[in-house]
Amino acid sequence: MSDTIPRKPPPSRVRLTWSVMLLVAYASIVLLATMWPTPIDRGWSGAIDDLLDIAHRNGLPWWFGYRKLEFGANIAMFVPLGFLIGMALPRRAVWATLVIVPAFSIGIEALQGALLAERFASPLDVVANTMGGWIGFAALGVVRGAITSRDERLIARAIWDHEARRRASAEGLRMRAGVR
């Protein structure tokens, strides 16, 4: 057996490829929704009010109205974005997600205020979007932690199995040779 240390396998590009493709697709959807010339809920106020009325009759607190729903929708819209930005970045730079998310949101709000007559920039939207992106980033941390833990267990098991087979093989050779 050689005394050379095995080389580390080259990194897989699967995570990077998929995360960048999904990030571009999802960011495009976010940009389409946020840069649409008119508010995306236009024409839906009656349906939204009906939905909230039903939800209130079924236990949703009465203080939860349209503004809270919109704030929550902004949070929810940015959760996947924070997750995907973090996935697309290398581990050593993943912290940049904490800066990229609010910068992206500020950029959107600035463009809405400057270019779209029927839309308006809202600092509250920046807060909600940032919260959502950071929640997505935190979820990425949980997922990466779970994957790392699983991988460490699989590697430890593979090493243990390899060593057990090696010991069994050596024992078998000794027994065939009549050495105890």
Side-chain angles (χ1 to χ4, degrees), residues 38-52 66 69:
T38 59
I40 59 174
D41 60 351
R42 178 171 285 162
W44 292 91
S45 62
I48 293 170
D49 288 341
D50 291 345
L51 178 67
L52 284 170
Y66 177 78
L69 178 66

Side-chain angles (χ1 to χ4, degrees), residues 68-143:
K68 302 266 189 308
L69 178 66
E70 181 185 24
F71 188 81
N74 283 337
I75 291 173
M77 179 173 60
F78 268 66
V79 169
L81 200 61
F83 186 93
L84 292 170
I85 290 170
M87 280 292 292
L89 293 172
R91 278 192 193 259
R92 67 184 176 280
V94 74
W95 63 268
T97 304
L98 299 174
V99 175
I100 293 169
V101 167
F104 187 66
S105 179
I106 290 168
I108 286 170
E109 294 301 318
L111 286 172
Q112 282 181 342
L115 302 176
L116 304 175
E118 294 190 47
R119 305 289 294 260
F120 61 94
S122 166
L124 202 54
D125 285 353
V126 173
V127 170
N129 297 343
T130 300
M131 286 174 55
W134 287 355
I135 290 168
F137 178 65
L140 173 64
V142 170
V143 168

